[in-house]
Amino acid sequence: MKKFLIDLRVKSVEQIHERYVLIRLTDEEPLPEMLPGQFVEIRVDGSPQTFLRRPISINFVDREQNELWLLVAAVGEGTRRLAQLKPGDKLNCLLPLGNGFTMPRRADERLLLVGGGVGVAPLLYMGAEMAAGGLEPTFLLGARTARDLLMLNEFEKYGRVLVTTEDGSQGERGFVTNHSILGQERFTRIATCGPTPMMKAVARYARRADVDCEASLENLMACGLGACLCCVEKTTEGNLCVCKDGPVFNIKKLLWQD
């Protein structure tokens, strides 16, 4: 897929949580084609401590409004700068990068999309694309507390939303792999993104249940093009760059240990 280096205009910056902002970007020209699971490398201007671009998952693409949504966790100097952007600012973006999730092609497929923390970001776009194709995804979203659940109102537009919280303040108590739905229903495929321990737990469940599963890895990615080799992951095919050969991998390729 062709890559673009473009200056996008900030349309809005919404503080949706004390640590997270939702940035909506637009352009005078129609936005390039982007797939669920791909990401953007963003240049952070005005930060003398930030030399490398920051990889951000594609959260949503609104074709009617010509908007690209980015869910950003303001956890470091670079991402805090992004959280301080104002409407009208320009953001230099390299996009779209990486390989996305495998989209369903059959009407009888039942997909479970499992996310935690900022890892829920790419699952919204995937669910929206599924809904546009006439399929209803099931979202299983986890967080520490109810206040840490992100964008539930958006997810509810496209499918069934199930929730777990570690303290039981919303949905079922525990981790996503503790949710009762996993013992009650059968899914044909799972897609997951979030903290690595969570994805490994989802992968273990998928292997036990004999369900095909893809995981979007969050290795440190500097260049986004497979040149710097800082995001290498050991796989059954050797060492692969997550930014170029992923970030989405079938778990059968990953050498994760139980």
Coordinates of all heavy atoms in Angstrom, one line a residue, residues 174-243:
G174 N -12.6 -8.6 37.1 CA -11.5 -9.4 36.7 C -10.9 -8.9 35.4 O -11.1 -7.8 34.9
F175 N -10.1 -9.8 34.7 CA -9.5 -9.5 33.5 C -10.4 -9.9 32.3 O -11.3 -10.7 32.5 CB -8.1 -10.2 33.4 CG -7.2 -9.8 34.5 CD1 -6.7 -10.8 35.4 CD2 -6.7 -8.5 34.6 CE1 -5.8 -10.4 36.4 CE2 -5.9 -8.1 35.7 CZ -5.4 -9.1 36.5
V176 N -10.0 -9.5 31.1 CA -10.9 -9.8 30.0 C -11.0 -11.4 29.8 O -12.1 -11.8 29.4 CB -10.4 -9.2 28.7 CG1 -10.6 -7.7 28.7 CG2 -8.9 -9.5 28.4
T177 N -9.9 -12.1 30.1 CA -10.0 -13.5 29.9 C -10.8 -14.2 31.0 O -11.0 -15.4 30.9 CB -8.6 -14.1 29.9 OG1 -7.8 -13.6 31.0 CG2 -7.9 -13.8 28.6
N178 N -11.3 -13.5 32.0 CA -12.2 -14.0 33.0 C -13.7 -13.8 32.6 O -14.5 -14.3 33.4 CB -12.0 -13.4 34.4 CG -10.5 -13.5 34.9 OD1 -9.9 -12.6 35.3 ND2 -10.0 -14.7 34.8
H179 N -14.0 -13.1 31.6 CA -15.3 -12.8 31.2 C -16.1 -14.1 30.9 O -15.6 -15.0 30.2 CB -15.4 -11.8 30.1 CG -16.8 -11.1 30.0 ND1 -17.9 -11.8 29.5 CD2 -17.2 -9.9 30.3 CE1 -18.9 -10.9 29.6 NE2 -18.5 -9.8 30.1
S180 N -17.4 -14.2 31.4 CA -18.2 -15.4 31.3 C -18.5 -15.7 29.8 O -18.8 -16.9 29.5 CB -19.5 -15.2 32.1 OG -20.2 -14.1 31.6
I181 N -18.5 -14.7 28.9 CA -18.8 -14.9 27.5 C -17.9 -16.0 26.9 O -18.3 -16.7 26.0 CB -18.8 -13.6 26.7 CG1 -19.5 -13.8 25.4 CG2 -17.4 -13.1 26.5 CD1 -21.0 -13.9 25.5
L182 N -16.7 -16.0 27.4 CA -15.7 -17.0 26.8 C -16.1 -18.4 27.0 O -15.6 -19.3 26.3 CB -14.3 -16.7 27.3 CG -13.7 -15.3 27.0 CD1 -12.4 -15.1 27.6 CD2 -13.7 -15.0 25.5
G183 N -16.8 -18.7 28.0 CA -17.3 -20.0 28.3 C -18.7 -20.3 27.8 O -19.2 -21.4 27.9
Q184 N -19.4 -19.3 27.3 CA -20.7 -19.4 26.9 C -20.9 -19.4 25.4 O -21.9 -20.0 24.9 CB -21.6 -18.3 27.5 CG -21.6 -18.2 29.0 CD -22.3 -17.0 29.5 OE1 -22.5 -16.0 28.8 NE2 -22.5 -16.9 30.8
E185 N -20.1 -18.7 24.6 CA -20.2 -18.6 23.2 C -19.0 -19.0 22.5 O -17.9 -19.0 23.0 CB -20.6 -17.2 22.8 CG -21.9 -16.7 23.4 CD -22.4 -15.3 22.9 OE1 -21.8 -14.9 21.8 OE2 -23.2 -14.7 23.6
R186 N -19.2 -19.4 21.2 CA -18.0 -19.8 20.4 C -17.8 -18.7 19.3 O -18.7 -18.4 18.6 CB -18.4 -21.1 19.7 CG -17.4 -21.6 18.7 CD -16.1 -22.1 19.3 NE -15.2 -22.6 18.2 CZ -14.0 -23.1 18.5 NH1 -13.6 -23.2 19.7 NH2 -13.2 -23.5 17.5
F187 N -16.6 -18.3 19.2 CA -16.2 -17.3 18.1 C -15.3 -18.0 17.1 O -14.6 -18.9 17.4 CB -15.5 -16.1 18.8 CG -16.4 -15.3 19.7 CD1 -16.4 -15.6 21.1 CD2 -17.2 -14.3 19.2 CE1 -17.3 -14.9 21.9 CE2 -18.1 -13.6 20.1 CZ -18.1 -13.9 21.4
T188 N -15.4 -17.5 15.9 CA -14.6 -18.1 14.8 C -13.2 -17.4 14.7 O -12.2 -18.0 14.2 CB -15.2 -17.9 13.5 OG1 -15.5 -16.6 13.2 CG2 -16.6 -18.7 13.4
R189 N -13.1 -16.2 15.3 CA -11.8 -15.5 15.2 C -11.7 -14.5 16.3 O -12.7 -13.9 16.7 CB -11.6 -14.9 13.8 CG -10.2 -14.4 13.6 CD -9.8 -14.7 12.1 NE -10.7 -14.4 11.1 CZ -10.8 -13.2 10.5 NH1 -10.0 -12.2 10.8 NH2 -11.7 -13.0 9.6
I190 N -10.5 -14.2 16.8 CA -10.3 -13.2 17.8 C -9.2 -12.2 17.3 O -8.2 -12.6 16.6 CB -9.8 -13.8 19.1 CG1 -10.8 -14.7 19.7 CG2 -9.4 -12.7 20.1 CD1 -10.4 -15.5 20.9
A191 N -9.4 -10.9 17.5 CA -8.4 -9.9 17.3 C -8.2 -9.2 18.6 O -9.1 -8.8 19.3 CB -8.9 -8.9 16.2
T192 N -6.9 -8.9 19.0 CA -6.6 -8.3 20.3 C -5.5 -7.3 20.2 O -4.6 -7.4 19.4 CB -6.3 -9.4 21.3 OG1 -6.1 -8.8 22.6 CG2 -5.0 -10.1 20.9
C193 N -5.6 -6.3 21.0 CA -4.6 -5.3 21.1 C -4.6 -4.7 22.5 O -5.7 -4.4 23.1 CB -4.8 -4.2 20.1 SG -3.5 -2.9 20.1
G194 N -3.5 -4.5 23.1 CA -3.4 -3.9 24.5 C -2.1 -4.3 25.2 O -1.1 -4.6 24.5
P195 N -2.1 -4.2 26.5 CA -0.8 -4.6 27.2 C -0.4 -6.0 26.8 O -1.3 -6.9 26.7 CB -1.2 -4.5 28.7 CG -2.4 -3.6 28.7 CD -3.1 -3.8 27.4
T196 N 0.9 -6.3 26.7 CA 1.4 -7.6 26.3 C 0.9 -8.7 27.2 O 0.5 -9.8 26.7 CB 2.9 -7.6 26.3 OG1 3.3 -6.6 25.3 CG2 3.5 -8.9 25.9
P197 N 0.9 -8.6 28.6 CA 0.4 -9.7 29.4 C -1.1 -10.0 29.1 O -1.4 -11.2 29.1 CB 0.5 -9.1 30.8 CG 1.6 -8.1 30.7 CD 1.4 -7.5 29.4
M198 N -1.9 -9.0 28.8 CA -3.3 -9.3 28.4 C -3.3 -10.0 27.1 O -4.1 -11.0 27.0 CB -4.0 -7.9 28.3 CG -5.5 -8.1 28.0 SD -6.3 -6.8 27.0 CE -5.7 -7.2 25.3
M199 N -2.6 -9.6 26.1 CA -2.6 -10.3 24.8 C -2.1 -11.7 24.9 O -2.6 -12.6 24.2 CB -1.8 -9.5 23.8 CG -2.4 -8.2 23.4 SD -1.7 -7.5 21.9 CE -0.1 -7.1 22.4
K200 N -1.1 -11.9 25.7 CA -0.6 -13.3 25.9 C -1.7 -14.2 26.5 O -1.8 -15.4 26.2 CB 0.7 -13.3 26.8 CG 1.9 -12.8 26.0 CD 3.1 -12.9 26.9 CE 4.4 -12.4 26.1 NZ 5.6 -12.5 27.0
A201 N -2.4 -13.6 27.5 CA -3.5 -14.4 28.1 C -4.6 -14.7 27.1 O -5.2 -15.8 27.1 CB -4.1 -13.6 29.3
V202 N -4.9 -13.7 26.2 CA -5.9 -13.9 25.2 C -5.4 -15.0 24.2 O -6.2 -15.9 23.8 CB -6.2 -12.6 24.4 CG1 -7.1 -12.9 23.2 CG2 -6.9 -11.6 25.4
A203 N -4.1 -15.0 23.9 CA -3.5 -15.9 23.0 C -3.6 -17.4 23.6 O -3.9 -18.3 22.9 CB -2.1 -15.6 22.7
R204 N -3.4 -17.5 24.9 CA -3.5 -18.8 25.6 C -4.9 -19.3 25.5 O -5.2 -20.5 25.2 CB -3.0 -18.7 27.0 CG -1.5 -18.5 27.2 CD -1.1 -18.8 28.6 NE -1.6 -17.8 29.5 CZ -0.9 -16.7 29.8 NH1 0.2 -16.4 29.3 NH2 -1.4 -15.8 30.7
Y205 N -5.9 -18.4 25.7 CA -7.3 -18.8 25.6 C -7.6 -19.3 24.2 O -8.2 -20.3 24.0 CB -8.2 -17.7 26.0 CG -9.6 -17.9 25.5 CD1 -10.5 -18.8 26.2 CD2 -10.1 -17.3 24.3 CE1 -11.8 -19.0 25.7 CE2 -11.4 -17.6 23.8 CZ -12.2 -18.4 24.6 OH -13.5 -18.7 24.1
A206 N -7.1 -18.5 23.2 CA -7.4 -18.8 21.8 C -6.8 -20.2 21.4 O -7.5 -21.0 20.7 CB -6.9 -17.7 20.9
R207 N -5.6 -20.5 21.9 CA -5.0 -21.8 21.6 C -5.8 -22.9 22.2 O -6.0 -24.0 21.6 CB -3.6 -21.8 22.1 CG -2.6 -21.0 21.2 CD -1.2 -21.4 21.4 NE -0.7 -21.1 22.8 CZ -0.2 -19.9 23.2 NH1 0.0 -19.0 22.3 NH2 0.2 -19.7 24.4
R208 N -6.2 -22.7 23.5 CA -7.0 -23.8 24.1 C -8.4 -24.0 23.5 O -8.8 -25.1 23.3 CB -7.3 -23.4 25.6 CG -6.0 -23.5 26.5 CD -6.4 -23.4 28.0 NE -7.3 -22.3 28.3 CZ -6.8 -21.1 28.7 NH1 -5.5 -21.0 28.9 NH2 -7.6 -20.1 29.0
A209 N -9.0 -22.9 23.0 CA -10.3 -23.0 22.4 C -10.2 -23.3 20.9 O -11.2 -23.5 20.2 CB -11.0 -21.7 22.6
D210 N -9.0 -23.4 20.4 CA -8.7 -23.7 18.9 C -9.4 -22.6 18.1 O -10.1 -22.9 17.1 CB -9.2 -25.1 18.6 CG -8.7 -25.5 17.2 OD1 -7.6 -25.0 16.8 OD2 -9.4 -26.3 16.5
V211 N -9.2 -21.4 18.4 CA -9.7 -20.2 17.7 C -8.6 -19.4 17.1 O -7.6 -19.1 17.7 CB -10.6 -19.3 18.6 CG1 -11.1 -18.1 17.8 CG2 -11.7 -20.1 19.2
D212 N -8.7 -19.1 15.8 CA -7.7 -18.3 15.1 C -7.6 -16.9 15.8 O -8.7 -16.3 16.1 CB -8.0 -18.1 13.6 CG -6.8 -17.7 12.8 OD1 -5.7 -18.2 13.1 OD2 -7.0 -16.9 11.9
C213 N -6.4 -16.4 16.0 CA -6.3 -15.2 16.7 C -5.1 -14.3 16.2 O -4.1 -14.8 15.8 CB -6.0 -15.5 18.2 SG -5.7 -14.0 19.3
E214 N -5.4 -13.0 16.1 CA -4.4 -12.1 15.7 C -4.1 -11.1 16.8 O -5.1 -10.6 17.4 CB -4.8 -11.3 14.4 CG -4.8 -12.2 13.1 CD -5.1 -11.5 11.9 OE1 -5.9 -10.4 12.0 OE2 -4.7 -11.9 10.8
A215 N -2.9 -10.7 17.0 CA -2.5 -9.7 18.0 C -1.8 -8.5 17.4 O -0.9 -8.8 16.5 CB -1.7 -10.4 19.1
S216 N -2.1 -7.3 17.8 CA -1.4 -6.2 17.3 C -0.3 -5.8 18.4 O -0.7 -5.3 19.5 CB -2.4 -5.0 17.1 OG -1.7 -3.8 16.7
L217 N 0.9 -6.0 18.0 CA 2.0 -5.8 19.0 C 2.3 -4.3 19.2 O 2.1 -3.5 18.2 CB 3.3 -6.5 18.6 CG 3.1 -8.0 18.3 CD1 4.5 -8.6 18.2 CD2 2.3 -8.7 19.4
E218 N 2.8 -3.9 20.3 CA 3.1 -2.5 20.7 C 4.6 -2.4 21.0 O 5.0 -1.6 21.9 CB 2.3 -2.1 21.8 CG 0.8 -2.1 21.5 CD -0.1 -1.5 22.6 OE1 0.3 -1.6 23.8 OE2 -1.1 -0.9 22.3
N219 N 5.5 -3.1 20.2 CA 6.9 -2.9 20.4 C 7.3 -1.4 20.1 O 6.6 -0.7 19.4 CB 7.7 -3.8 19.5 CG 7.5 -5.3 19.8 OD1 6.4 -5.6 20.3 ND2 8.5 -6.1 19.5
L220 N 8.4 -1.0 20.7 CA 8.9 0.4 20.4 C 9.3 0.5 18.9 O 10.1 -0.3 18.4 CB 10.2 0.6 21.2 CG 10.8 2.0 21.0 CD1 9.9 3.1 21.4 CD2 12.2 2.1 21.8
M221 N 8.6 1.4 18.2 CA 8.8 1.6 16.8 C 9.2 3.0 16.5 O 8.5 4.0 16.8 CB 7.5 1.3 16.0 CG 7.1 -0.2 16.1 SD 5.6 -0.6 15.2 CE 4.3 0.0 16.4
A222 N 10.5 3.1 16.0 CA 11.0 4.5 15.8 C 10.8 5.0 14.3 O 10.3 6.1 14.1 CB 12.5 4.5 16.1
C223 N 11.2 4.2 13.4 CA 11.2 4.6 12.0 C 9.9 4.3 11.3 O 9.4 5.0 10.4 CB 12.3 4.1 11.2 SG 12.2 2.3 10.8
G224 N 9.3 3.2 11.6 CA 8.0 2.8 11.0 C 8.2 2.1 9.6 O 7.2 1.7 9.0
L225 N 9.5 1.9 9.2 CA 9.7 1.4 7.9 C 10.6 0.2 7.9 O 11.0 -0.3 6.8 CB 10.4 2.5 7.0 CG 9.6 3.8 6.8 CD1 10.5 4.9 6.2 CD2 8.4 3.5 6.0
G226 N 11.0 -0.3 9.0 CA 11.8 -1.5 9.1 C 13.3 -1.2 8.9 O 14.1 -2.2 8.7
A227 N 13.7 0.0 9.1 CA 15.1 0.3 8.9 C 16.0 0.3 10.1 O 17.1 -0.1 10.1 CB 15.2 1.7 8.2
C228 N 15.4 0.7 11.3 CA 16.2 0.9 12.5 C 16.3 -0.4 13.3 O 17.2 -0.4 14.2 CB 15.6 2.0 13.3 SG 14.0 1.7 14.1
L229 N 15.4 -1.3 13.1 CA 15.5 -2.6 13.7 C 15.3 -2.6 15.2 O 15.6 -3.6 15.9 CB 16.8 -3.3 13.4 CG 17.2 -3.5 12.0 CD1 18.5 -4.2 11.8 CD2 16.1 -4.3 11.2
C230 N 14.7 -1.5 15.8 CA 14.5 -1.5 17.2 C 13.2 -2.2 17.6 O 13.0 -2.4 18.8 CB 14.5 0.0 17.7 SG 13.0 0.9 17.2
C231 N 12.4 -2.6 16.7 CA 11.1 -3.2 17.0 C 11.0 -4.7 16.7 O 10.0 -5.3 16.6 CB 9.9 -2.5 16.3 SG 10.0 -2.6 14.5
V232 N 12.2 -5.3 16.6 CA 12.3 -6.7 16.1 C 11.6 -7.6 17.1 O 11.7 -7.5 18.3 CB 13.8 -7.1 15.9 CG1 13.9 -8.6 15.8 CG2 14.3 -6.5 14.7
E233 N 10.8 -8.6 16.6 CA 10.2 -9.6 17.4 C 10.6 -11.0 16.8 O 10.6 -11.2 15.6 CB 8.6 -9.5 17.2 CG 7.8 -10.5 18.0 CD 7.7 -10.2 19.5 OE1 8.0 -9.1 19.9 OE2 7.4 -11.2 20.2
K234 N 10.9 -11.9 17.8 CA 11.2 -13.3 17.4 C 9.9 -14.0 17.0 O 9.0 -14.0 17.7 CB 11.9 -14.0 18.5 CG 13.3 -13.4 18.9 CD 13.9 -14.2 20.0 CE 15.3 -13.7 20.3 NZ 15.9 -14.4 21.4
T235 N 10.0 -14.6 15.8 CA 8.8 -15.4 15.3 C 9.3 -16.7 14.7 O 10.5 -17.0 14.6 CB 8.1 -14.6 14.2 OG1 8.9 -14.6 13.0 CG2 7.9 -13.1 14.6
T236 N 8.3 -17.5 14.3 CA 8.6 -18.8 13.7 C 9.3 -18.6 12.3 O 9.9 -19.5 11.8 CB 7.3 -19.6 13.4 OG1 6.4 -18.8 12.7 CG2 6.7 -19.9 14.8
E237 N 9.3 -17.4 11.8 CA 9.9 -17.0 10.5 C 11.2 -16.3 10.7 O 11.7 -15.7 9.8 CB 9.0 -16.2 9.6 CG 7.7 -17.0 9.3 CD 6.7 -16.1 8.5 OE1 7.0 -14.9 8.2 OE2 5.6 -16.6 8.1
G238 N 11.7 -16.3 11.9 CA 12.9 -15.5 12.3 C 12.6 -14.2 12.9 O 11.4 -13.9 13.3
N239 N 13.6 -13.3 13.0 CA 13.3 -12.0 13.5 C 12.7 -11.1 12.5 O 13.2 -10.9 11.4 CB 14.7 -11.3 14.0 CG 15.3 -12.1 15.1 OD1 14.6 -12.7 15.9 ND2 16.6 -11.9 15.3
L240 N 11.5 -10.5 12.9 CA 10.7 -9.7 12.0 C 10.5 -8.3 12.6 O 10.4 -8.2 13.9 CB 9.4 -10.3 11.7 CG 9.4 -11.6 10.9 CD1 7.9 -12.1 10.7 CD2 10.1 -11.5 9.6
C241 N 10.5 -7.3 11.8 CA 10.2 -5.9 12.3 C 8.7 -5.7 12.5 O 7.9 -5.9 11.5 CB 10.7 -4.9 11.3 SG 12.5 -4.8 11.2
V242 N 8.3 -5.4 13.7 CA 6.9 -5.2 13.9 C 6.3 -4.1 13.1 O 5.2 -4.2 12.6 CB 6.7 -4.9 15.5 CG1 5.3 -4.5 15.7 CG2 7.0 -6.2 16.3
C243 N 7.1 -3.0 12.9 CA 6.5 -1.9 12.1 C 6.2 -2.2 10.7 O 5.3 -1.7 10.1 CB 7.4 -0.7 12.2 SG 9.0 -0.9 11.4

